[in-house]
Amino acid sequence: MIPPAEPTDLAPDDEAPIGATTVTLAPHPRRAERGADKYPVVALCGSAGSLDALEKFFAHLPPQPGVAFVVVVHRLPNPSANSQLTEVVQSFTALPVAEAYDGLRVLPNQVYVIPPDADLSLLHGSLFLLKPTQPSSRRQPIDFFLQTLAKDVGERAVCIILSGVGTDGSLGLKLVMESFGMVMVQTPESAAFDGMARAALATEFVDFVLPPELMAAQLLDYLAHPLTSRPLREPGEGALPSQPLHALQKIFLLIRTQTGHDFSFYKRNTVFRRIERRMNSHQIREFSHYVRYLQENPGEVDQLFHELLIGVTKFFRDAEAFESLKGYLRPLLAAKTPDSTVRVWAPGCSTGEEAYSLAMVIFECLDELAPNHHLKVQIFATDISPVGVALARAGQYTESIVADVSPDRLARFFQKIDAGYQIRKEVRDVVVFALHNLNKDAPFIRLDLLVCRNLLIYLSGELQRSLLPIFHYALNPLGLLFLGPSENMTGFHDLFQPLDVKWKISRRTATAALLPQLIKFPFSLGPQAAAALPAAALMSTAVSTHRQGGPFAALVQRALLSAYSPPAVVIDGKGEILYINGRTGRYLEPAPGLSGMNLFEMARADLNFEISGAVHRALQSRENVVVENVRVKTDAGQQQLRLTVRHLVEYEQLAGLLLVVFEDQPTSRKERLSKRTPSPPDGRQQDAMLEALSRELHYTKHRLQSTVEEMESSLEELKSTNEELQSANEELQSTNEEAMTNKEEMQSLNEELMTLNMQYLAKTEELSQSANDMKNLLDATEIAIVFLDNDLVIKRFTSPVGHIISLMPSDVGRPLAHFASNLRYEHLLRDVQQVLDRLTGLETNIQTLKGEWYTMRVLPYRSLDNYINGVVITFTDITALKVLEAQVQEANRFSASLAETMREPLLALDADLRVHSANRAFAAAFQENAADLVGRSLGALSDGAWNQPALFRQLLLLLDASSPVTEFDDLVLDATFPRLGPCRVRLYGRRMLYQGEPTGRVLLGVQALEGLASSKQPPGQ
């Protein structure tokens, strides 16, 4: 489609109204700069019944629509059977129509038709034909063309699905959607065959659903709408208009509030295009209006969320890439120890096709290993879409996958179902699907393979830079990373060694020094959002929120301390300064050289002795020390001060620290000034100086002596302790690293356990539902069923069993032999054991002591894996059937007895006019053996003498239940009987009924039998 952000130079009078039938696209000046081939390409796709839809579509198309049309329909392989398609399409439109051939340039205002027995593709604006590699029953020419169309023209691609059978096109339209193209589908009600339309609608990636006569107007309106409604925004432009940007943040907020997912770290341009698609679908031009529409329609938020998560995937996407992956997987699998586990993670799995493709590839690689080299496979496939994860777990796909999956893989890894194909259970069991968000959830770790294809391209560069080190951390040494063809590892080439540059297959390197600085748990970047708020807003919020105490009180106390408290420093036992309060420049100054923040090194020369002594005495005595009248030379002259060293014991966090306070004392102006100008010292001053020096020397000697004694006593201890500390330090360092690693692994394992828990919960729900269905099914059948294991121990039974065997719910787990049955049958256990030994079913009719009859069936209990886990015994009540059978037998005996007592010859005939029974009078009259007559056809009796059309017509009328005729009398037949000769027989017939209903039998009786030689009557008719 035409880029929606591109401006138009159309005058207001040239704008086409929304919904107009005809929209004329005026030439755009920037279009000439980009090239003359930047026009939309519309694929008209269909099969059976699509000609009628094409006729209606072209009938409502203007003469110069400004787009190119490619008709892709299912055609027979025989060219002669399709030779008229081009002429037929030409009769629908005034646009030139041509059959495609290799190298044909696609131009606007022209129509191109796919030739028979060829796959059509588009490359650099030209059509090319390929010989089909699939049989005609498995070909998907529409999907094939739509894939090439989406790759070649991108956002200018338009896919229109018309009438047709099958699911062809449902995969290709997803790729068109992924490339920001437009998808339109014919309404199923207007289609002659709605299979393709319904398959396309099932993908939920459809923009418009219209009848063919309305498609042309909507198509042109959609193509013209972006050009005439919004300002210029180039696809690669970084700066976005402020108003749409604010609206975009509001849209992100609405999506996060309703779904819990934050899309602010997705590429802005991609998100903008998805939102514009939804706006175009609702004919909304302003972003602010769309925000209001989202607020009023929560369902649209879900639709937009689904739009942003468009899951375009298929089996073995880029088949050459999977073949290359197998080449690197084989040595990786061969290097693993037997019975170990192959762990794979596939984030962004969508509906599961890629995850199952990985499972198939791994199974094929494992088949090539040594027979005794068994490996377990565990694939974690994750996504943030609950719908996609649910579809992936089911593993059911339409028949269109035959175009992507080879027949061998289809036979091995799939089973045919009514709706298409389903992944076999052994493949589904190795793939665990779960909801997982790369932005905030911990990764899966200890992986051999990580596959993240066509996901990073939708994420911002900041999020990509956070994820790639995580991928490195999650992989085992020499683990493989498999990215999409459009993705790269910019800035992290030292973490992965490229193996296949074309298909982005890399191996994890041993670089680990960068990981502590790169890996950040969790991945949520929420603090940055707060940092983006204005500082004034944050300050006002903080003051208004915390004025009652907390931060507000702490700020006030800090202001008071800085204004009214004396200068002070907090030090540790070694004199290292940990905190400075007030202005200490008059007492401390930085020491020359590469010194640190040590109080003894920074103290001025006049204070060095006093500070050192006071601190030492405070540490030795563990009491506070105060030194009065300490003199220090400042820029203003001599200054007296009080030096206080106090232990901080008020708070546990400050234990062991010292507070050194410098308090200025009043000093006369004369004394300060007298010290400024040096004067010759007199005798008293010299004596005072000598006394001070003597005191300092005495103190220094005393301290030196004690220090030497302490050092000598602790020297040996320090030597041994130093060695122990060095070893302990190394151990602690390694332990710390292991603890950090274990912490991250525990976090990842916790996420993995949560994923497995979700999987188990889903399985538990399925099992519960199946158990409920099974219970209701067994209760509804009212059949007595007993399940036994291989030791003939009761596992389960239904309530009707109590009429046959006295069982209670507490009897589960007890052998069947412990219970007596109400059956007149002594071989129940023998029959059950026989079925278990021979694995062949057994069926017999048995009777209870109360006279009830049951049909007992004993069958082996087979698991889904075809293992024998016991037997199943079913008892079906046939008491009513037995009673009816007895009544019928009694009636038959009564009828036979009655017929034998009749003096008239009688025959009972079944529905096939065969003799069911004959009385002795009939056998005597015609000199036949009564036993030989049973089962014989009436027409074959007496060498065909009874084969009379008039007789058969009457008998068939009696057998017809819908006929009102139920009897006949005085039917005269002339026939020659072998033992009697020519005779005239007068017959009557009756339909035999039971309780007023036909039984399917008739009664034929002889009224009179006369020889023709003595008869004077006229022949019968």
Side-chain angles (χ1 to χ4, degrees):
M1 73 179 181
I2 300 174
E6 206 166 289
T8 177
D9 293 340
L10 291 175
D13 296 338
D14 296 331
E15 285 192 5
I18 299 176
T21 303
T22 304
V23 178
T24 303
L25 298 180
H28 194 279
R30 297 199 60 176
R31 188 176 299 173
E33 298 175 6
R34 296 177 311 187
D37 57 346
K38 300 299 182 182
Y39 45 82
V41 179
V42 180
L44 298 169
C45 311
S47 64
S50 60
L51 289 180
D52 180 65
L54 288 172
E55 182 178 8
K56 294 178 181 179
F57 175 83
F58 284 113
H60 294 80
L61 196 68
Q64 298 294 321
V67 295
F69 299 93
V70 181
V71 178
V72 185
V73 296
H74 294 169
R75 304 188 63 177
L76 299 176
N78 184 8
S80 61
N82 301 270
S83 58
Q84 304 300 320
L85 180 59
T86 304
E87 290 77 5
V88 171
V89 175
Q90 183 66 78
S91 65
F92 298 158
T93 178
L95 298 176
V97 181
E99 188 173 82
Y101 58 83
D102 282 335
L104 178 60
R105 186 71 176 175
V106 176
L107 299 176
N109 301 320
Q110 296 198 28
V111 182
Y112 306 93
V113 179
I114 183 175
D117 197 23
D119 285 338
L120 187 64
S121 62
L122 185 66
L123 180 63
H124 302 317
S126 298
L127 297 173
F128 294 92
L129 307 180
L130 297 173
K131 193 69 175 177
T133 58
Q134 299 285 349
S136 58
S137 60
R138 300 181 57 185
R139 282 185 58 201
Q140 305 288 331
I142 296 176
D143 278 335
F144 184 82
F145 177 74
L146 291 179
Q147 294 180 46
T148 62
L149 174 69
K151 292 181 180 179
D152 198 62
V153 301
E155 61 186 14
R156 294 179 286 109
V158 177
C159 166
I160 299 180
I161 302 295
L162 302 174
S163 172
V165 295
T167 60
D168 195 8
S170 58
L171 176 60
L173 67 85
K174 294 182 181 180
L175 298 175
V176 173
M177 175 73 73
E178 183 186 32
S179 302
F180 305 104
M182 190 265 278
V183 178
M184 188 181 298
V185 176
Q186 181 179 356
T187 56
E189 295 77 15
S190 65
F193 298 90
D194 60 358
M196 289 178 56
R198 294 192 182 279
L201 292 175
T203 64
E204 301 183 3
F205 298 143
V206 178
D207 292 299
F208 304 101
V209 183
L210 298 169
E213 55 268 19
L214 300 181
M215 287 183 170
Q218 184 62 67
L219 169 67
L220 298 180
D221 182 74
Y222 178 85
L223 296 177
H225 181 66
L227 289 177
T228 58
S229 62
R230 283 192 286 277
L232 172 65
R233 178 174 59 80
E234 292 294 340
E237 191 173 356
L240 298 173
S242 59
Q243 185 175 357
L245 182 59
H246 295 163
L248 184 64
Q249 298 297 335
K250 296 178 182 179
I251 293 174
F252 287 155
L253 179 62
L254 292 173
I255 296 177
R256 187 179 65 182
T257 301
Q258 185 160 329
T259 67
H261 297 292
D262 188 1
F263 285 89
S264 59
F265 299 109
Y266 280 55
K267 287 185 177 178
R268 293 299 175 86
N269 191 56
T270 301
V271 173
F272 250 109
R273 304 303 291 274
R274 302 295 187 201
I275 295 175
E276 287 174 344
R277 288 180 52 83
R278 298 302 306 171
M279 293 173 61
N280 289 343
S281 299
H282 299 289
Q283 299 298 319
I284 299 175
R285 299 191 177 190
E286 298 295 334
F287 279 87
S288 59
H289 296 170
Y290 186 61
V291 173
R292 181 65 178 270
Y293 183 78
L294 289 173
Q295 291 177 298
E296 297 174 352
N297 298 272
E300 176 64 18
V301 178
D302 292 331
Q303 291 289 337
L304 179 60
F305 171 69
H306 191 65
E307 177 84 11
L308 295 174
L309 291 181
I310 178 171
V312 181
T313 182
K314 65 175 185 177
F315 285 100
F316 300 99
R317 186 175 185 181
D318 301 322
E320 186 179 345
F322 279 90
E323 289 299 322
S324 177
L325 176 65
K326 290 177 67 175
Y328 299 104
L329 267 180
R330 293 187 187 99
L332 178 66
L333 299 179
K336 294 187 71 68
T337 58
D339 297 324
S340 60
T341 302
V342 181
R343 293 170 59 88
V344 182
W345 181 25
C349 66
S350 186
T351 50
E353 287 91 333
E354 187 170 74
Y356 287 128
S357 300
L358 292 171
M360 298 179 206
V361 168
I362 292 175
F363 278 131
E364 291 172 350
C365 292
L366 292 178
D367 291 342
E368 302 175 9
L369 298 178
N372 58 348
H373 196 83
H374 300 288
L375 295 176
K376 301 176 183 177
V377 180
Q378 192 174 35
I379 300 177
F380 297 97
T382 60
D383 201 275
I384 66 174
S385 172
V387 177
V389 171
L391 293 175
R393 284 175 179 163
Q396 297 181 3
Y397 302 96
T398 61
E399 295 185 356
S400 61
I401 65 171
V402 299
D404 304 316
V405 183
S406 64
D408 294 339
R409 286 171 172 162
L410 205 63
R412 177 181 177 185
F413 300 111
F414 293 82
Q415 58 186 7
K416 190 71 173 68
I417 59 176
D418 295 338
Y421 293 91
Q422 184 178 29
I423 302 289
R424 293 190 181 274
K425 186 176 183 298
E426 55 267 24
V427 181
R428 297 202 310 271
D429 287 345
V430 303
V431 185
V432 177
F433 291 97
L435 296 175
H436 184 278
N437 193 336
L438 279 176
N439 286 355
K440 57 183 180 181
D441 295 332
F444 297 89
I445 59 173
R446 299 195 303 273
L447 303 173
D448 299 295
L449 173 63
L450 198 158
V451 180
C452 185
R453 308 189 71 220
N454 305 308
L455 174 61
L456 298 180
I457 56 176
Y458 299 115
L459 306 180
S460 65
E462 180 182 5
L463 188 55
Q464 290 187 34
R465 288 190 293 272
S466 298
L467 289 177
L468 287 173
I470 297 301
F471 290 168
H472 180 277
Y473 165 76
L475 286 167
N476 287 331
L478 304 181
L480 299 179
L481 176 65
F482 188 19
L483 300 179
S486 301
E487 298 165 337
N488 54 61
M489 294 174 291
T490 304
F492 297 98
H493 295 288
D494 54 339
L495 301 181
F496 299 94
Q497 174 190 358
L499 300 178
D500 190 323
V501 178
K502 178 180 180 182
W503 297 116
K504 300 302 176 4
I505 302 175
S506 306
R507 178 181 287 122
R508 178 190 186 274
T509 62
T511 303
L514 297 177
L515 292 181
Q517 292 78 19
L518 295 176
I519 298 179
K520 300 177 181 179
F521 290 99
F523 303 116
S524 177
L525 302 178
Q528 294 184 0
L533 294 176
L538 291 177
M539 183 177 295
S540 62
T541 303
V543 172
S544 63
T545 305
H546 305 289
R547 177 160 298 191
Q548 299 299 329
F552 178 74
L555 293 176
V556 172
Q557 293 173 4
R558 184 178 300 175
L560 293 174
L561 288 174
S562 63
Y564 298 102
S565 63
V569 295
V570 177
I571 63 173
D572 59 9
K574 298 180 181 179
E576 297 293 336
I577 299 176
L578 305 178
Y579 183 81
I580 299 176
N581 178 69
R583 302 175 64 86
T584 59
R586 289 186 298 175
Y587 319 111
L588 306 176
E589 62 180 359
L594 300 175
S595 61
M597 296 288 290
N598 189 280
L599 178 63
F600 304 138
E601 295 177 356
M602 297 178 61
R604 290 181 180 270
D606 299 344
L607 292 176
N608 194 359
F609 165 72
E610 298 293 348
I611 292 176
S612 177
V615 171
H616 182 72
R617 288 198 302 273
L619 291 174
Q620 291 292 328
S621 63
R622 300 187 181 277
E623 295 180 353
N624 298 335
V625 176
V626 179
V627 182
E628 300 285 353
N629 299 323
V630 178
R631 296 179 181 272
V632 61
K633 184 184 295 184
T634 65
D635 297 336
Q638 293 288 339
Q639 175 66 47
Q640 287 186 351
L641 60 89
R642 178 188 294 119
L643 181 65
T644 303
V645 180
R646 190 170 69 87
H647 291 270
L648 298 177
V649 296
E650 290 82 358
Y651 302 100
E652 182 179 356
Q653 293 86 347
L654 304 180
L657 302 182
L658 299 175
L659 178 65
V660 181
V661 183
F662 306 94
E663 298 179 75
D664 289 343
Q665 298 295 315
T667 305
S668 64
R669 183 172 180 272
K670 179 179 179 181
E671 187 176 3
R672 288 199 302 268
L673 294 177
S674 65
K675 301 302 179 181
R676 281 190 176 184
T677 305
S679 60
D682 55 10
R684 289 178 296 177
Q685 291 178 342
Q686 290 181 354
D687 293 340
M689 291 178 60
L690 290 174
E691 184 180 357
L693 289 175
S694 177
R695 289 199 308 268
E696 181 177 353
L697 179 60
H698 177 73
Y699 172 76
T700 302
K701 288 182 178 180
H702 176 73
R703 183 178 176 186
L704 178 61
Q705 180 65 28
S706 61
T707 301
V708 170
E709 292 176 357
E710 292 175 0
M711 290 185 63
E712 290 178 351
S713 62
S714 61
L715 181 60
E716 295 299 328
E717 297 179 2
L718 288 175
K719 288 182 180 180
S720 59
T721 304
N722 184 42
E723 296 177 357
E724 294 177 359
L725 288 175
Q726 286 182 352
S727 60
N729 184 40
E730 295 176 357
E731 293 179 1
L732 287 174
Q733 186 175 359
S734 61
T735 303
N736 185 42
E737 294 175 356
E738 292 177 1
M740 292 296 295
T741 304
N742 290 336
K743 177 184 176 182
E744 296 166 355
E745 290 182 356
M746 289 296 293
Q747 188 175 0
S748 300
L749 288 175
N750 184 46
E751 183 68 28
E752 188 173 325
L753 289 175
M754 292 178 62
T755 300
L756 292 175
N757 186 42
M758 293 174 59
Q759 186 81 357
Y760 290 148
L761 286 177
K763 292 292 185 183
T764 302
E765 292 178 359
E766 294 178 4
L767 290 176
S768 298
Q769 185 63 38
S770 299
N772 292 333
D773 294 343
M774 182 60 67
K775 181 180 183 302
N776 284 275
L777 174 63
L778 295 177
D779 293 343
T781 57
E782 296 183 352
I783 298 176
I785 305 176
V786 182
F787 296 90
L788 306 177
D789 62 11
N790 291 328
D791 297 326
L792 304 187
V793 173
I794 299 172
K795 297 193 298 183
R796 187 176 180 182
F797 60 89
T798 58
S799 56
V801 174
H803 299 292
I804 304 170
I805 305 174
S806 300
L807 294 180
M808 300 178 63
S810 59
D811 294 330
V812 174
R814 297 176 60 185
L816 182 63
H818 290 182
F819 300 92
S821 67
N822 298 327
L823 300 175
R824 293 178 179 174
Y825 189 72
E826 300 178 354
H827 307 298
L828 177 61
L829 294 177
R830 183 199 65 184
D831 293 345
V832 172
Q833 188 62 46
Q834 177 181 331
V835 170
L836 196 58
D837 295 337
R838 300 180 181 179
L839 301 182
T840 56
L842 181 145
E843 180 176 347
T844 184
N845 294 335
I846 56 178
Q847 188 181 22
T848 65
L849 298 177
K850 297 180 181 180
E852 299 172 337
W853 283 90
Y854 291 90
T855 295
M856 183 182 71
R857 293 185 179 88
V858 186
L859 297 172
Y861 184 100
R862 296 180 183 270
S863 66
L864 293 177
D865 300 328
N866 201 26
Y867 287 102
I868 304 301
N869 290 334
V871 294
V872 182
I873 309 174
T874 60
F875 300 92
T876 305
D877 190 357
I878 58 171
T879 303
L881 184 61
K882 282 291 186 179
V883 171
L884 180 61
E885 181 181 353
Q887 293 176 354
V888 171
Q889 291 177 355
E890 182 64 24
N892 288 338
R893 286 193 296 270
F894 177 76
S895 300
S897 176
L898 183 63
E900 290 298 329
T901 60
M902 296 291 292
R903 298 179 62 183
E904 294 179 354
L906 295 176
L907 279 181
L909 304 175
D910 61 13
D912 296 328
L913 296 182
R914 293 183 177 274
V915 178
H916 179 268
S917 63
N919 65 354
R920 286 179 292 181
F922 184 89
F926 294 96
Q927 300 181 12
E928 297 282 355
N929 187 357
D932 295 338
L933 294 176
V934 177
R936 296 180 62 187
S937 173
L938 177 63
L941 296 181
S942 302
D943 294 337
W946 295 91
N947 191 9
Q948 300 288 337
L951 175 60
F952 275 74
R953 281 196 300 271
Q954 293 294 334
L955 293 175
L956 291 176
L957 282 175
L958 297 181
L959 289 172
D960 186 2
S962 62
S963 173
V965 179
T966 60
E967 61 181 26
F968 65 86
D969 294 301
D970 297 326
L971 178 63
V972 179
L973 295 179
D974 293 335
T976 302
F977 296 92
R979 295 179 178 83
L980 303 179
C983 294
R984 176 168 292 165
V985 183
R986 191 180 301 276
L987 304 173
Y988 68 91
R990 299 289 185 270
R991 178 185 295 172
M992 299 182 69
L993 304 177
Y994 178 75
Q995 295 182 353
E997 296 295 331
T999 61
R1001 297 176 185 174
V1002 295
L1003 182 67
L1004 181 63
V1006 179
Q1007 291 176 323
L1009 176 63
E1010 302 175 356
L1012 289 180
S1014 61
S1015 176
K1016 303 298 185 180
Q1017 299 179 4
Q1021 301 300 324

